[in-house]
PDB file of all heavy atoms in Angstrom:
ATOM      1  N   TYR D 171       0.859  -1.186   0.000  1.00  0.00           N
ATOM      2  CA  TYR D 171       0.000   0.000   0.000  1.00  0.00           C
ATOM      3  C   TYR D 171       0.899   1.242   0.000  1.00  0.00           C
ATOM      4  O   TYR D 171       1.651   1.465   0.946  1.00  0.00           O
ATOM      5  CB  TYR D 171      -0.888   0.012   1.246  1.00  0.00           C
ATOM      6  CG  TYR D 171      -1.767  -1.200   1.385  1.00  0.00           C
ATOM      7  CD1 TYR D 171      -1.305  -2.342   2.041  1.00  0.00           C
ATOM      8  CD2 TYR D 171      -3.056  -1.219   0.864  1.00  0.00           C
ATOM      9  CE1 TYR D 171      -2.117  -3.472   2.175  1.00  0.00           C
ATOM     10  CE2 TYR D 171      -3.876  -2.343   0.992  1.00  0.00           C
ATOM     11  CZ  TYR D 171      -3.392  -3.458   1.641  1.00  0.00           C
ATOM     12  OH  TYR D 171      -4.187  -4.581   1.780  1.00  0.00           O
ATOM     13  N   CYS D 172       0.820   2.028  -1.051  1.00  0.00           N
ATOM     14  CA  CYS D 172       1.636   3.240  -1.184  1.00  0.00           C
ATOM     15  C   CYS D 172       0.837   4.430  -0.653  1.00  0.00           C
ATOM     16  O   CYS D 172      -0.080   4.920  -1.316  1.00  0.00           O
ATOM     17  CB  CYS D 172       2.031   3.461  -2.642  1.00  0.00           C
ATOM     18  SG  CYS D 172       3.024   2.112  -3.320  1.00  0.00           S
ATOM     19  N   TYR D 173       1.201   4.908   0.529  1.00  0.00           N
ATOM     20  CA  TYR D 173       0.356   5.873   1.245  1.00  0.00           C
ATOM     21  C   TYR D 173       0.681   7.327   0.906  1.00  0.00           C
ATOM     22  O   TYR D 173      -0.184   8.094   0.501  1.00  0.00           O
ATOM     23  CB  TYR D 173       0.493   5.638   2.753  1.00  0.00           C
ATOM     24  CG  TYR D 173      -0.394   6.520   3.590  1.00  0.00           C
ATOM     25  CD1 TYR D 173      -1.774   6.333   3.611  1.00  0.00           C
ATOM     26  CD2 TYR D 173       0.143   7.549   4.354  1.00  0.00           C
ATOM     27  CE1 TYR D 173      -2.592   7.149   4.381  1.00  0.00           C
ATOM     28  CE2 TYR D 173      -0.666   8.363   5.121  1.00  0.00           C
ATOM     29  CZ  TYR D 173      -2.034   8.162   5.134  1.00  0.00           C
ATOM     30  OH  TYR D 173      -2.844   8.976   5.883  1.00  0.00           O
ATOM     31  N   LEU D 174       1.927   7.736   1.092  1.00  0.00           N
ATOM     32  CA  LEU D 174       2.326   9.132   0.832  1.00  0.00           C
ATOM     33  C   LEU D 174       3.748   9.157   0.297  1.00  0.00           C
ATOM     34  O   LEU D 174       4.565   8.281   0.608  1.00  0.00           O
ATOM     35  CB  LEU D 174       2.272   9.967   2.120  1.00  0.00           C
ATOM     36  CG  LEU D 174       0.948  10.595   2.540  1.00  0.00           C
ATOM     37  CD1 LEU D 174       1.134  11.300   3.877  1.00  0.00           C
ATOM     38  CD2 LEU D 174       0.421  11.558   1.502  1.00  0.00           C
ATOM     39  N   SER D 175       4.044  10.186  -0.479  1.00  0.00           N
ATOM     40  CA  SER D 175       5.408  10.350  -0.973  1.00  0.00           C
ATOM     41  C   SER D 175       5.744  11.831  -1.047  1.00  0.00           C
ATOM     42  O   SER D 175       4.876  12.695  -0.942  1.00  0.00           O
ATOM     43  CB  SER D 175       5.566   9.697  -2.352  1.00  0.00           C
ATOM     44  OG  SER D 175       4.739  10.354  -3.309  1.00  0.00           O
ATOM     45  N   GLY D 176       6.995  12.088  -1.242  1.00  0.00           N
ATOM     46  CA  GLY D 176       7.448  13.456  -1.421  1.00  0.00           C
ATOM     47  C   GLY D 176       8.818  13.461  -2.066  1.00  0.00           C
ATOM     48  O   GLY D 176       9.562  12.484  -1.962  1.00  0.00           O
ATOM     49  N   PHE D 177       9.142  14.545  -2.760  1.00  0.00           N
ATOM     50  CA  PHE D 177      10.469  14.660  -3.358  1.00  0.00           C
ATOM     51  C   PHE D 177      10.883  16.130  -3.380  1.00  0.00           C
ATOM     52  O   PHE D 177      10.047  17.040  -3.285  1.00  0.00           O
ATOM     53  CB  PHE D 177      10.510  14.059  -4.766  1.00  0.00           C
ATOM     54  CG  PHE D 177       9.630  14.755  -5.778  1.00  0.00           C
ATOM     55  CD1 PHE D 177      10.086  15.871  -6.484  1.00  0.00           C
ATOM     56  CD2 PHE D 177       8.343  14.309  -6.018  1.00  0.00           C
ATOM     57  CE1 PHE D 177       9.279  16.516  -7.412  1.00  0.00           C
ATOM     58  CE2 PHE D 177       7.525  14.942  -6.943  1.00  0.00           C
ATOM     59  CZ  PHE D 177       7.996  16.057  -7.638  1.00  0.00           C
ATOM     60  N   ASN D 178      12.180  16.333  -3.509  1.00  0.00           N
ATOM     61  CA  ASN D 178      12.732  17.674  -3.559  1.00  0.00           C
ATOM     62  C   ASN D 178      12.533  18.250  -4.960  1.00  0.00           C
ATOM     63  O   ASN D 178      13.060  17.713  -5.934  1.00  0.00           O
ATOM     64  CB  ASN D 178      14.224  17.627  -3.214  1.00  0.00           C
ATOM     65  CG  ASN D 178      14.826  18.999  -3.027  1.00  0.00           C
ATOM     66  OD1 ASN D 178      14.404  19.967  -3.655  1.00  0.00           O
ATOM     67  ND2 ASN D 178      15.818  19.089  -2.160  1.00  0.00           N
ATOM     68  N   PRO D 179      11.769  19.333  -5.083  1.00  0.00           N
ATOM     69  CA  PRO D 179      11.502  19.894  -6.422  1.00  0.00           C
ATOM     70  C   PRO D 179      12.765  20.288  -7.181  1.00  0.00           C
ATOM     71  O   PRO D 179      12.751  20.350  -8.418  1.00  0.00           O
ATOM     72  CB  PRO D 179      10.623  21.114  -6.121  1.00  0.00           C
ATOM     73  CG  PRO D 179      10.032  20.847  -4.778  1.00  0.00           C
ATOM     74  CD  PRO D 179      11.066  20.075  -4.027  1.00  0.00           C
ATOM     75  N   ARG D 180      13.873  20.542  -6.473  1.00  0.00           N
ATOM     76  CA  ARG D 180      15.119  20.924  -7.159  1.00  0.00           C
ATOM     77  C   ARG D 180      15.652  19.809  -8.047  1.00  0.00           C
ATOM     78  O   ARG D 180      16.399  20.060  -8.996  1.00  0.00           O
ATOM     79  CB  ARG D 180      16.199  21.304  -6.129  1.00  0.00           C
ATOM     80  CG  ARG D 180      15.943  22.596  -5.390  1.00  0.00           C
ATOM     81  CD  ARG D 180      17.195  23.064  -4.656  1.00  0.00           C
ATOM     82  NE  ARG D 180      17.649  22.111  -3.642  1.00  0.00           N
ATOM     83  CZ  ARG D 180      18.786  21.423  -3.720  1.00  0.00           C
ATOM     84  NH1 ARG D 180      19.574  21.550  -4.783  1.00  0.00           N
ATOM     85  NH2 ARG D 180      19.132  20.609  -2.742  1.00  0.00           N
ATOM     86  N   PHE D 181      15.261  18.575  -7.719  1.00  0.00           N
ATOM     87  CA  PHE D 181      15.771  17.425  -8.479  1.00  0.00           C
ATOM     88  C   PHE D 181      14.689  16.794  -9.354  1.00  0.00           C
ATOM     89  O   PHE D 181      14.818  15.637  -9.749  1.00  0.00           O
ATOM     90  CB  PHE D 181      16.329  16.382  -7.511  1.00  0.00           C
ATOM     91  CG  PHE D 181      17.487  16.870  -6.694  1.00  0.00           C
ATOM     92  CD1 PHE D 181      17.286  17.394  -5.418  1.00  0.00           C
ATOM     93  CD2 PHE D 181      18.772  16.826  -7.193  1.00  0.00           C
ATOM     94  CE1 PHE D 181      18.352  17.846  -4.653  1.00  0.00           C
ATOM     95  CE2 PHE D 181      19.848  17.273  -6.442  1.00  0.00           C
ATOM     96  CZ  PHE D 181      19.636  17.785  -5.162  1.00  0.00           C
ATOM     97  N   GLU D 182      13.649  17.549  -9.656  1.00  0.00           N
ATOM     98  CA  GLU D 182      12.535  16.985 -10.403  1.00  0.00           C
ATOM     99  C   GLU D 182      12.973  16.418 -11.760  1.00  0.00           C
ATOM    100  O   GLU D 182      12.433  15.399 -12.222  1.00  0.00           O
ATOM    101  CB  GLU D 182      11.456  18.054 -10.603  1.00  0.00           C
ATOM    102  CG  GLU D 182      10.177  17.515 -11.208  1.00  0.00           C
ATOM    103  CD  GLU D 182       9.042  18.530 -11.160  1.00  0.00           C
ATOM    104  OE1 GLU D 182       9.275  19.677 -10.687  1.00  0.00           O
ATOM    105  OE2 GLU D 182       7.920  18.178 -11.579  1.00  0.00           O
ATOM    106  N   ARG D 183      13.961  17.018 -12.383  1.00  0.00           N
ATOM    107  CA  ARG D 183      14.420  16.546 -13.700  1.00  0.00           C
ATOM    108  C   ARG D 183      15.010  15.132 -13.634  1.00  0.00           C
ATOM    109  O   ARG D 183      15.120  14.438 -14.652  1.00  0.00           O
ATOM    110  CB  ARG D 183      15.453  17.512 -14.263  1.00  0.00           C
ATOM    111  CG  ARG D 183      16.732  17.581 -13.459  1.00  0.00           C
ATOM    112  CD  ARG D 183      17.728  18.594 -14.002  1.00  0.00           C
ATOM    113  NE  ARG D 183      18.934  18.651 -13.201  1.00  0.00           N
ATOM    114  CZ  ARG D 183      19.970  17.819 -13.328  1.00  0.00           C
ATOM    115  NH1 ARG D 183      19.929  16.865 -14.260  1.00  0.00           N
ATOM    116  NH2 ARG D 183      21.031  17.918 -12.551  1.00  0.00           N
ATOM    117  N   LEU D 184      15.377  14.683 -12.415  1.00  0.00           N
ATOM    118  CA  LEU D 184      15.956  13.352 -12.234  1.00  0.00           C
ATOM    119  C   LEU D 184      14.888  12.299 -11.903  1.00  0.00           C
ATOM    120  O   LEU D 184      15.224  11.147 -11.642  1.00  0.00           O
ATOM    121  CB  LEU D 184      17.021  13.375 -11.131  1.00  0.00           C
ATOM    122  CG  LEU D 184      18.216  14.298 -11.363  1.00  0.00           C
ATOM    123  CD1 LEU D 184      19.165  14.270 -10.179  1.00  0.00           C
ATOM    124  CD2 LEU D 184      18.955  13.914 -12.648  1.00  0.00           C
ATOM    125  N   SER D 185      13.625  12.700 -11.907  1.00  0.00           N
ATOM    126  CA  SER D 185      12.489  11.787 -11.658  1.00  0.00           C
ATOM    127  C   SER D 185      12.620  11.030 -10.337  1.00  0.00           C
ATOM    128  O   SER D 185      12.451   9.805 -10.293  1.00  0.00           O
ATOM    129  CB  SER D 185      12.342  10.800 -12.820  1.00  0.00           C
ATOM    130  OG  SER D 185      12.203  11.449 -14.047  1.00  0.00           O
ATOM    131  N   PRO D 186      12.880  11.707  -9.220  1.00  0.00           N
ATOM    132  CA  PRO D 186      13.058  10.987  -7.948  1.00  0.00           C
ATOM    133  C   PRO D 186      11.790  10.284  -7.472  1.00  0.00           C
ATOM    134  O   PRO D 186      11.867   9.199  -6.878  1.00  0.00           O
ATOM    135  CB  PRO D 186      13.486  12.091  -6.973  1.00  0.00           C
ATOM    136  CG  PRO D 186      12.944  13.355  -7.574  1.00  0.00           C
ATOM    137  CD  PRO D 186      13.032  13.172  -9.049  1.00  0.00           C
ATOM    138  N   GLY D 187      10.616  10.897  -7.724  1.00  0.00           N
ATOM    139  CA  GLY D 187       9.374  10.249  -7.327  1.00  0.00           C
ATOM    140  C   GLY D 187       9.151   8.942  -8.062  1.00  0.00           C
ATOM    141  O   GLY D 187       8.712   7.940  -7.468  1.00  0.00           O
ATOM    142  N   LYS D 188       9.448   8.919  -9.344  1.00  0.00           N
ATOM    143  CA  LYS D 188       9.296   7.699 -10.143  1.00  0.00           C
ATOM    144  C   LYS D 188      10.262   6.621  -9.662  1.00  0.00           C
ATOM    145  O   LYS D 188       9.904   5.439  -9.578  1.00  0.00           O
ATOM    146  CB  LYS D 188       9.552   8.006 -11.607  1.00  0.00           C
ATOM    147  CG  LYS D 188       9.460   6.782 -12.519  1.00  0.00           C
ATOM    148  CD  LYS D 188       9.618   7.182 -13.975  1.00  0.00           C
ATOM    149  CE  LYS D 188       8.441   8.005 -14.450  1.00  0.00           C
ATOM    150  NZ  LYS D 188       8.521   8.341 -15.888  1.00  0.00           N
ATOM    151  N   ILE D 189      11.464   7.017  -9.288  1.00  0.00           N
ATOM    152  CA  ILE D 189      12.460   6.038  -8.856  1.00  0.00           C
ATOM    153  C   ILE D 189      12.057   5.386  -7.541  1.00  0.00           C
ATOM    154  O   ILE D 189      12.104   4.158  -7.401  1.00  0.00           O
ATOM    155  CB  ILE D 189      13.845   6.706  -8.724  1.00  0.00           C
ATOM    156  CG1 ILE D 189      14.381   7.074 -10.109  1.00  0.00           C
ATOM    157  CG2 ILE D 189      14.823   5.800  -7.984  1.00  0.00           C
ATOM    158  CD1 ILE D 189      15.668   7.871 -10.083  1.00  0.00           C
ATOM    159  N   VAL D 190      11.639   6.188  -6.561  1.00  0.00           N
ATOM    160  CA  VAL D 190      11.325   5.616  -5.254  1.00  0.00           C
ATOM    161  C   VAL D 190      10.061   4.753  -5.320  1.00  0.00           C
ATOM    162  O   VAL D 190       9.947   3.731  -4.627  1.00  0.00           O
ATOM    163  CB  VAL D 190      11.230   6.736  -4.193  1.00  0.00           C
ATOM    164  CG1 VAL D 190       9.917   7.500  -4.286  1.00  0.00           C
ATOM    165  CG2 VAL D 190      11.442   6.188  -2.799  1.00  0.00           C
ATOM    166  N   LEU D 191       9.107   5.114  -6.184  1.00  0.00           N
ATOM    167  CA  LEU D 191       7.920   4.289  -6.357  1.00  0.00           C
ATOM    168  C   LEU D 191       8.250   3.018  -7.142  1.00  0.00           C
ATOM    169  O   LEU D 191       7.811   1.916  -6.794  1.00  0.00           O
ATOM    170  CB  LEU D 191       6.827   5.089  -7.075  1.00  0.00           C
ATOM    171  CG  LEU D 191       5.508   4.373  -7.348  1.00  0.00           C
ATOM    172  CD1 LEU D 191       4.920   3.790  -6.071  1.00  0.00           C
ATOM    173  CD2 LEU D 191       4.508   5.330  -7.994  1.00  0.00           C
ATOM    174  N   GLY D 192       9.049   3.171  -8.199  1.00  0.00           N
ATOM    175  CA  GLY D 192       9.453   2.004  -8.971  1.00  0.00           C
ATOM    176  C   GLY D 192      10.251   1.008  -8.147  1.00  0.00           C
ATOM    177  O   GLY D 192      10.147  -0.209  -8.338  1.00  0.00           O
ATOM    178  N   TYR D 193      11.047   1.527  -7.214  1.00  0.00           N
ATOM    179  CA  TYR D 193      11.809   0.655  -6.310  1.00  0.00           C
ATOM    180  C   TYR D 193      10.866  -0.209  -5.482  1.00  0.00           C
ATOM    181  O   TYR D 193      11.113  -1.417  -5.294  1.00  0.00           O
ATOM    182  CB  TYR D 193      12.687   1.516  -5.406  1.00  0.00           C
ATOM    183  CG  TYR D 193      13.510   0.736  -4.413  1.00  0.00           C
ATOM    184  CD1 TYR D 193      14.751   0.210  -4.763  1.00  0.00           C
ATOM    185  CD2 TYR D 193      13.052   0.549  -3.109  1.00  0.00           C
ATOM    186  CE1 TYR D 193      15.509  -0.498  -3.844  1.00  0.00           C
ATOM    187  CE2 TYR D 193      13.802  -0.157  -2.182  1.00  0.00           C
ATOM    188  CZ  TYR D 193      15.033  -0.682  -2.552  1.00  0.00           C
ATOM    189  OH  TYR D 193      15.795  -1.385  -1.634  1.00  0.00           O
ATOM    190  N   ALA D 194       9.770   0.389  -4.979  1.00  0.00           N
ATOM    191  CA  ALA D 194       8.791  -0.380  -4.206  1.00  0.00           C
ATOM    192  C   ALA D 194       8.137  -1.452  -5.069  1.00  0.00           C
ATOM    193  O   ALA D 194       7.911  -2.588  -4.621  1.00  0.00           O
ATOM    194  CB  ALA D 194       7.740   0.558  -3.625  1.00  0.00           C
ATOM    195  N   ILE D 195       7.816  -1.097  -6.320  1.00  0.00           N
ATOM    196  CA  ILE D 195       7.196  -2.072  -7.226  1.00  0.00           C
ATOM    197  C   ILE D 195       8.187  -3.185  -7.566  1.00  0.00           C
ATOM    198  O   ILE D 195       7.824  -4.371  -7.594  1.00  0.00           O
ATOM    199  CB  ILE D 195       6.707  -1.362  -8.504  1.00  0.00           C
ATOM    200  CG1 ILE D 195       5.588  -0.362  -8.157  1.00  0.00           C
ATOM    201  CG2 ILE D 195       6.204  -2.376  -9.528  1.00  0.00           C
ATOM    202  CD1 ILE D 195       5.185   0.538  -9.316  1.00  0.00           C
ATOM    203  N   GLU D 196       9.438  -2.821  -7.789  1.00  0.00           N
ATOM    204  CA  GLU D 196      10.465  -3.822  -8.095  1.00  0.00           C
ATOM    205  C   GLU D 196      10.619  -4.825  -6.949  1.00  0.00           C
ATOM    206  O   GLU D 196      10.686  -6.045  -7.161  1.00  0.00           O
ATOM    207  CB  GLU D 196      11.797  -3.127  -8.368  1.00  0.00           C
ATOM    208  CG  GLU D 196      12.913  -4.082  -8.746  1.00  0.00           C
ATOM    209  CD  GLU D 196      14.194  -3.356  -9.116  1.00  0.00           C
ATOM    210  OE1 GLU D 196      14.291  -2.132  -8.859  1.00  0.00           O
ATOM    211  OE2 GLU D 196      15.090  -4.018  -9.660  1.00  0.00           O
ATOM    212  N   ASN D 197      10.649  -4.326  -5.721  1.00  0.00           N
ATOM    213  CA  ASN D 197      10.747  -5.218  -4.568  1.00  0.00           C
ATOM    214  C   ASN D 197       9.503  -6.086  -4.416  1.00  0.00           C
ATOM    215  O   ASN D 197       9.584  -7.246  -3.997  1.00  0.00           O
ATOM    216  CB  ASN D 197      10.970  -4.409  -3.293  1.00  0.00           C
ATOM    217  CG  ASN D 197      12.421  -4.000  -3.116  1.00  0.00           C
ATOM    218  OD1 ASN D 197      13.308  -4.533  -3.786  1.00  0.00           O
ATOM    219  ND2 ASN D 197      12.661  -3.063  -2.239  1.00  0.00           N
ATOM    220  N   ALA D 198       8.340  -5.515  -4.768  1.00  0.00           N
ATOM    221  CA  ALA D 198       7.106  -6.290  -4.705  1.00  0.00           C
ATOM    222  C   ALA D 198       7.148  -7.453  -5.702  1.00  0.00           C
ATOM    223  O   ALA D 198       6.745  -8.580  -5.391  1.00  0.00           O
ATOM    224  CB  ALA D 198       5.905  -5.389  -4.979  1.00  0.00           C
ATOM    225  N   ILE D 199       7.623  -7.182  -6.903  1.00  0.00           N
ATOM    226  CA  ILE D 199       7.750  -8.240  -7.913  1.00  0.00           C
ATOM    227  C   ILE D 199       8.724  -9.310  -7.431  1.00  0.00           C
ATOM    228  O   ILE D 199       8.462 -10.517  -7.535  1.00  0.00           O
ATOM    229  CB  ILE D 199       8.217  -7.644  -9.255  1.00  0.00           C
ATOM    230  CG1 ILE D 199       7.151  -6.699  -9.809  1.00  0.00           C
ATOM    231  CG2 ILE D 199       8.523  -8.751 -10.264  1.00  0.00           C
ATOM    232  CD1 ILE D 199       7.637  -5.855 -10.972  1.00  0.00           C
ATOM    233  N   ARG D 200       9.837  -8.873  -6.870  1.00  0.00           N
ATOM    234  CA  ARG D 200      10.853  -9.800  -6.387  1.00  0.00           C
ATOM    235  C   ARG D 200      10.296 -10.714  -5.288  1.00  0.00           C
ATOM    236  O   ARG D 200      10.670 -11.893  -5.194  1.00  0.00           O
ATOM    237  CB  ARG D 200      12.051  -9.008  -5.855  1.00  0.00           C
ATOM    238  CG  ARG D 200      13.321  -9.826  -5.661  1.00  0.00           C
ATOM    239  CD  ARG D 200      14.393  -8.945  -5.013  1.00  0.00           C
ATOM    240  NE  ARG D 200      14.638  -7.734  -5.782  1.00  0.00           N
ATOM    241  CZ  ARG D 200      15.471  -7.667  -6.812  1.00  0.00           C
ATOM    242  NH1 ARG D 200      16.114  -8.745  -7.227  1.00  0.00           N
ATOM    243  NH2 ARG D 200      15.656  -6.523  -7.450  1.00  0.00           N
ATOM    244  N   ALA D 201       9.405 -10.162  -4.450  1.00  0.00           N
ATOM    245  CA  ALA D 201       8.843 -10.927  -3.333  1.00  0.00           C
ATOM    246  C   ALA D 201       7.605 -11.735  -3.717  1.00  0.00           C
ATOM    247  O   ALA D 201       7.034 -12.429  -2.879  1.00  0.00           O
ATOM    248  CB  ALA D 201       8.507  -9.982  -2.181  1.00  0.00           C
ATOM    249  N   GLY D 202       7.156 -11.626  -4.979  1.00  0.00           N
ATOM    250  CA  GLY D 202       5.959 -12.344  -5.389  1.00  0.00           C
ATOM    251  C   GLY D 202       4.673 -11.717  -4.891  1.00  0.00           C
ATOM    252  O   GLY D 202       3.652 -12.394  -4.736  1.00  0.00           O
TER     253      GLY D 202
END
């Protein structure tokens, strides 16, 4: 369950929100 997130707007061009969410999805896939 992905409840809340946040990222530093100064680094928005680096897609930090996408990375931290994708990391959770990647771990979910790994765990079945």
Side-chain angles (χ1 to χ4, degrees):
Y171 302 88
C172 299
Y173 183 71
L174 275 177
S175 64
F177 64 86
N178 189 329
R180 290 194 298 113
F181 298 95
E182 188 170 2
R183 65 182 179 84
L184 300 178
S185 304
K188 178 176 292 184
I189 290 174
V190 77
L191 180 54
Y193 179 85
I195 295 171
E196 182 176 12
N197 279 345
I199 295 168
R200 195 185 305 275

